[in-house]
Amino acid sequence: MSIPSGAPAVAPRVPEAVHRRRWVILGVLMFSLLIVVLDNSILNVAVKTIASPAPTGIGATQSELEWAINSYTLVFAGLLFTAGLLGDRIGRKKVLLAGILVFGIGSALAALSTSPGELITWRALMGFGAAFVMPATLAVLMNVFERDEQPKAIGIWAGSVGLGIAIGPITGGALLEHFWWGSIFLVNVPVVVIALIAMAVLVPDSRDPDPGRVDPLGVVLSIVGLVLLVYGIIRGGELASFTDLTVLAPLIGGLLVLAGFVWHEKRSTHPSIDISYFRKPAFSAAVAAIALVFFALMGVTFFSAFYLQSVRGYTALESGLLILPLAAAQMIFSPRARLVVDRFGAKAVCTVGMLLVAAGLAAFAMFDADTPLWVLCLVFFVQGTGMAHIMPPVTVAVMQALPRERAGSGSAINNTFRQVGGALGIAVLGSVLSTVYRGDIEGHLDGVPAAARDVAGESIEATLGVASKLGPAGKPLIAAANDAFIGAMHVTALGSAAVALIGAAVVAAFLPGRVPAPGKPGAGEPDRTGRPAQEPAHRS
């Protein structure tokens, strides 16, 4: 399944019948993507409820909550690359249908979980299905749109992520107010049924017409390496330490296996991916930007749910409504990002976007228990605006660097770096939050019974749970827990902002600037009328 370095720049034209219904197909792809995004954003507002004792929740601890999120991430990230290759080989529509079906089954089983262990298991099954959904949607998009329309389509595709962010917390909050916690997963089932019918009827199948020989060793190395690496990252976050042997062993092992994967791919006569693409500064900068922005944002997304619900006292529904400005900004600006890139170039647009994200993250360092709501909404809107001017341009840079026939591989690379960056963000920033919180709260646990002291210091939810059992005597502990959490959040927010600034430096140094549109005939791919189309100004 090699990707020839000298692949022609001009891809075959999209069949006319497919071209006519391309926007309807994009709508179906967005709906399919919405399922995956919806689930994660719903879970973020439900963590407090799931952590509550039965019958309200299932009494999940802080580490179990992290595993409920990360078991999904572990399987999802480990299989993304393989899922993209499989879609290129056997057909993206088949992979997409199978992935959504498995995701729906996992959702139904997760809704019926009676223990944290069951929830973690079924979340892993959902991650297995989602691994085949995410790359397939983007790969299908690249095969139903001509090159000159791809930036616009990718912007709309990225905007659907914002739609999921908006609908998820609000839907989750409404469900939690009227139904039991499992309804946040059960709601996926009817969405899956509708998506399966729409895709079966409307979405065309596509595949690599000349996939070449299978590279089984490369596939195995990629899965093993990614799973070990992501597990080590997650384990480090769980222990709030990256020096433990159970953290270092999988981390080092994963890096060694991935190094072996790169070595094998460079020497194989039929590699899964042409490693030479990473020698292009623009390509490498694009995937690095994806990883860094999700590193910064995923850690903040995790603790913001506790800040809004535990410290501020908002319900799950109210917390979801407060995140609406972030989603609205993405929905508004993502489809229009290509216009800004055409005028100013990917370098300037993505750098400013990263700076906006960094500013939004740094603002969390100034939040306290009484920060006005309009300030929260403004910060979320700034973060969403920054994201909307980062993700579409860097996704276009990654996807247009590879031939259309290898769209599944390109999409898998894009999403793998995003997931690894996100998992690393939750683990590293989560461990920072936990370590600082424990250090601050320990001095306030003197009045807590010895048997409950270790549990009380684990997280703000655990502290508040112990405080509630102490009655009036627990009020000082509640105040101390809020203060300790806000202090830990400030430190974590500044760390997130620093990572976003690193991302800004990377894109400023390596992404291409504004490229004047070529004026001579034949410079680009022919459009539907047969006239040569101009190359996008933001190509990598």
Side-chain angles (χ1 to χ4, degrees), residues 282 340-348 511-519 534-540:
V340 186
V341 171
D342 287 342
R343 181 169 183 179
F344 299 105
K347 181 195 294 286
L511 277 187
R514 184 173 182 272
V515 180
Q534 293 182 338
E535 289 286 336
H538 53 287
R539 65 178 185 270
S540 58

Side-chain angles (χ1 to χ4, degrees), residues 345-368:
K347 181 195 294 286
V349 172
C350 290
T351 300
V352 172
M354 278 288 193
L355 291 176
L356 287 176
V357 170
L361 295 171
F364 272 88
M366 297 182 288
F367 287 1
D368 56 32

Side-chain angles (χ1 to χ4, degrees), residues 235-255:
R235 181 64 177 164
E238 184 182 13
L239 298 178
S241 170
F242 285 83
T243 58
D244 189 274
L245 181 61
T246 59
V247 176
L248 289 176
L251 278 178
I252 295 173
L255 290 172

